[in-house]
Amino acid sequence: MVRGALLTANLPQLQNLIKRDPAAYREEFLQQWNHYNSARHLFKLNPDDQAGNFKELVTFISQVASCYPTETADFPSQLFSLLTDNYPSLSQEIKKSLLQNLVMLRKKEVISSIDLLKYLFPLLPRTSSASLRLFIRHTILSDIVSANARHKNHRLNRAMQAMLFNMIERGMEYRVTRDMDKSSSDRTADSNSEAMWAVIVAKELWKKSVWTDSKTVAIIALGCTHPNLKVQSASMHFFIGEESDEGADDTEADTGIDVRALHHRREINKKTKSGEKKFHKQLKSARKKARPKTSAKQANFPALELLRDPQSFADKVFNLLNHHDTRFTLDHKILVMQLLSRVMSVHKVCILNFYSYAMKFLHYRQPRIPSILVALAQSVNDMTPPDAIEPVIRKLAQEFVHPGVSSEVIAAGLNSIREISARQPWAMDSSLLEDLIEYRKSKDKGVITAARGLLQLYREINPSMLKKRERGKEASMSVSRAPLPFGQSNKVAVDIEGLTLLEDHFNKLHEEEGAANDTEWDGWTVNSDSSSASDSEGWINVEDEEGDIAISGSDDDLEPTDPQAEATASSRVSTLATTKILTPADFALLNDLRIQAATRTVQMSGGSASKRKLASLEANRSHTESNLLDKNVFVTEEHILGKRKKAKADYAERLASIQSGREGRAKFGSRRGKDKEVPSSSTNREKVKNKPIMMILSSDTVRRKKKASLRDKQRKLRAHVEKMKKGAH
């Protein structure tokens, strides 16, 4: 009895003893468990009075729950029900304590990661405290990252991705209307907050390279068509590659500086110069810490490539833009147009109504017209019908390229027309082209550069549209060269060039090893490690009538093939593509085999054509990644505005330039007297010697010297001689 009373009063000691011997202290635990159940019912009735005692009991049960799994089976669900049922009335301290105990149960493996995340996700949009929300967000992200550290936890990922997808989908059925009741308004706000956090979490996991599959892209793509504008903006910024302002409060919490509090103190405190400097310094520090380390101006190419149905996605986004044209702000319209143009460029999607919609913005006085021109030029591809682009080019020429506007406007119009024509040359009319290139005789440098760029473009792609005197020497020699009409190609693709070399290589490996190891997914990408074991649970071999469908990823050592076999391979069509899924690693291997074959051809014949082919193949191998980016290079405002005079810097820019020039330099000021053994300043007599004569003519010293008598001058001279003698001795 005495022991039970002492242990009841000292929960940390009882906790230590239970962890050492759970069976011996089972009765004491059950006593505390009954005490916890009683306190839990009282806590539901009055959370404020029972907060301290109840928090200690919950911490104690969480610490020893792994020792008694049967008795504490319902303990995690009880904590979660306390949070969800009484969340608005609970204090921040109790909320954080209960959440920390749930995390502790996860670390002790009392609950799984899926259970913990199912508890935390519903609480994330309901939390108003920035610090508590940051704790929940950090716990969610760290748990998913740690679960996927060694290998992909597909079960956890699928469950969490389904949860995020449902969080966004729940808000799709609500539409913001003016006559909605209060209950539906509350449901809409909750669904919008859920969708916003679902997008934020998915973006963070993509940024951390934890979720990089098409399911994550599908989650954020669904957010692009969400009725809430903030959810739309955050989702669209993900595909464009720019950081949005959403979630700024949590970013500020990560830096340790509350920007809102800084602004509030600045408003209520007394205005002083020192306070103003301190405020701007703290604000600059917060923005610097919150700035992403990597440049976010490039588009998110992998995400755009992983869109499952680009045509349907682009149609939904355009319908959203077209139907809510009066509701959206200009900045949001431009954001949607930029996303549409990127999708249309990467996947060669055609939305013909987009060009008629964009034409109403084509005026040189339109705000943010460079961004609109960028989106318009980027949306054009070689699969866009020329009839849909021709009115756009004429509209640009009428609004931007005429003597009634400034030279910057003319240059922007010519550059826009050049970018569009580079993607669809047949949209240009020859008579209009002749008028546009005449601007190369202008006096403005930007206009001259833009007109010459348009002229040079058609010299390269279609010299026949130019007059003979404008073609140039090289273009005149190849005047018969012209782009193929719309919808036509040079030849029908029958086979992949050099695929027979890859087929012979695999056959040789199959003969040497006895069986081809082509059923694993290792090395699906070019840079993957073929020796690493596959994380999947295994694949079912599906046999076709022609044979097994093999998927190869091993990048084995390349061996030279037989020249006679190469000659035979060049005159037959390979069937490898019909029996095997070619991976990026296979195409990299194919490029290496082609380089080896071209090298042997150069060694045998030494022809110039063979050397050029070898150089082209080597350049393709060394710039594989850059070529992928070059293929999808997006238009920027610099392409539209072109070369122009440098604008006059404002005060802030001049001050920043001055400060950057002072870095690494010594402090400003004279070094006179500071380089001595004992630093000291100069005397007043020394300073007088260096003064200009006009500054000391009217001084009393000069005046007394002029009026001095002969006797005074002799005394001074004698005193000077005596002083010099003493100094000499």
Side-chain angles (χ1 to χ4, degrees), residues 456-524:
Q456 185 62 29
L457 173 67
Y458 274 90
R459 281 179 176 177
E460 296 175 357
I461 61 176
N462 194 0
S464 60
M465 294 187 65
L466 300 171
K467 292 184 178 180
K468 187 175 181 180
R469 66 175 181 272
E470 297 167 348
R471 294 172 186 167
K473 181 178 179 181
E474 297 181 359
S476 299
M477 296 174 62
S478 58
V479 70
S480 59
R481 183 182 63 208
L484 293 173
F486 174 71
Q488 295 186 11
S489 59
N490 290 323
K491 59 181 179 179
V492 179
V494 178
D495 191 15
I496 300 176
E497 184 179 359
L499 189 61
T500 52
L501 298 174
L502 186 63
E503 183 179 10
D504 295 339
H505 178 73
F506 285 152
N507 292 334
K508 187 174 181 180
L509 291 177
H510 185 78
E511 294 174 358
E512 292 178 354
E513 298 178 2
N517 186 18
D518 294 334
T519 59
E520 295 184 358
W521 288 81
D522 300 340
W524 173 263

Side-chain angles (χ1 to χ4, degrees), residues 551-568:
I551 301 172
S552 173
S554 60
D555 192 4
D556 301 299
D557 296 334
L558 305 180
E559 298 182 1
T561 56
D562 189 6
Q564 185 177 359
E566 294 176 11
T568 306

Side-chain angles (χ1 to χ4, degrees), residues 269-558:
N269 290 346
K270 184 179 179 181
K271 305 298 186 296
T272 59
K273 290 185 178 180
S274 60
E276 187 75 18
K277 291 181 180 179
K278 185 177 180 181
F279 166 73
H280 287 294
K281 185 177 181 180
Q282 292 176 341
L283 189 64
K284 183 178 179 181
S285 177
R287 291 174 178 173
K288 186 177 181 180
K289 292 180 180 179
R291 190 179 303 147
K293 295 181 180 179
T294 57
S295 177
K297 293 185 178 180
Q298 286 189 346
N300 201 339
F301 289 101
L304 290 173
E305 293 286 349
L306 289 176
L307 284 172
R308 292 179 176 176
D309 191 354
Q311 182 68 55
S312 300
F313 174 74
D315 290 335
K316 292 178 181 178
V317 173
F318 177 72
N319 291 334
L320 194 71
L321 175 65
N322 195 24
H323 292 164
H324 300 281
D325 182 62
T326 57
R327 176 187 168 193
F328 291 163
T329 61
L330 178 62
D331 293 338
H332 194 74
K333 291 177 186 177
I334 293 175
L335 178 64
V336 179
M337 293 170 68
Q338 288 176 345
L339 175 61
L340 272 173
S341 65
R342 301 285 174 88
V343 177
M344 294 168 71
S345 175
V346 173
H347 295 280
K348 299 189 182 302
V349 174
C350 293
I351 302 179
L352 302 182
N353 293 334
F354 173 75
Y355 302 105
S356 59
Y357 176 84
M359 284 180 64
K360 65 181 181 180
F361 297 99
L362 298 183
H363 192 272
Y364 70 92
R365 291 184 179 178
Q366 171 68 40
R368 295 197 61 187
I369 186 61
S371 300
I372 298 174
L373 294 177
V374 166
L376 180 62
Q378 188 61 62
S379 63
V380 181
N381 55 72
D382 55 358
M383 301 301 295
T384 306
D387 297 339
I389 307 300
E390 186 176 357
V392 177
I393 293 181
R394 290 199 172 274
K395 178 75 172 177
L396 287 172
Q398 293 171 3
E399 295 290 339
F400 292 85
V401 189
H402 59 84
V405 296
S406 62
S407 57
E408 290 83 1
V409 175
I410 298 176
L414 291 173
N415 290 327
S416 303
I417 294 173
R418 185 194 72 239
E419 294 294 337
I420 294 174
S421 301
R423 289 160 173 77
Q424 183 49 268
W426 292 111
M428 174 64 70
D429 182 66
S430 58
S431 59
L432 178 61
L433 177 62
E434 183 179 354
D435 295 337
L436 294 177
I437 62 178
E438 287 296 324
Y439 278 89
R440 70 185 188 276
K441 301 176 183 178
S442 174
K443 296 182 179 180
D444 186 78
K445 184 178 181 180
V447 177
I448 295 173
T449 305
R452 287 179 178 177
L454 182 62
L455 175 62
Q456 185 62 29
L457 173 67
Y458 274 90
R459 281 179 176 177
E460 296 175 357
I461 61 176
N462 194 0
S464 60
M465 294 187 65
L466 300 171
K467 292 184 178 180
K468 187 175 181 180
R469 66 175 181 272
E470 297 167 348
R471 294 172 186 167
K473 181 178 179 181
E474 297 181 359
S476 299
M477 296 174 62
S478 58
V479 70
S480 59
R481 183 182 63 208
L484 293 173
F486 174 71
Q488 295 186 11
S489 59
N490 290 323
K491 59 181 179 179
V492 179
V494 178
D495 191 15
I496 300 176
E497 184 179 359
L499 189 61
T500 52
L501 298 174
L502 186 63
E503 183 179 10
D504 295 339
H505 178 73
F506 285 152
N507 292 334
K508 187 174 181 180
L509 291 177
H510 185 78
E511 294 174 358
E512 292 178 354
E513 298 178 2
N517 186 18
D518 294 334
T519 59
E520 295 184 358
W521 288 81
D522 300 340
W524 173 263
T525 58
V526 178
N527 297 325
S528 62
D529 188 4
S530 60
S531 62
S532 62
S534 177
D535 294 333
S536 60
E537 298 178 355
W539 297 92
I540 300 175
N541 294 328
V542 181
E543 294 187 357
D544 197 0
E545 295 179 356
E546 299 179 2
D548 294 339
I549 300 179
I551 301 172
S552 173
S554 60
D555 192 4
D556 301 299
D557 296 334
L558 305 180

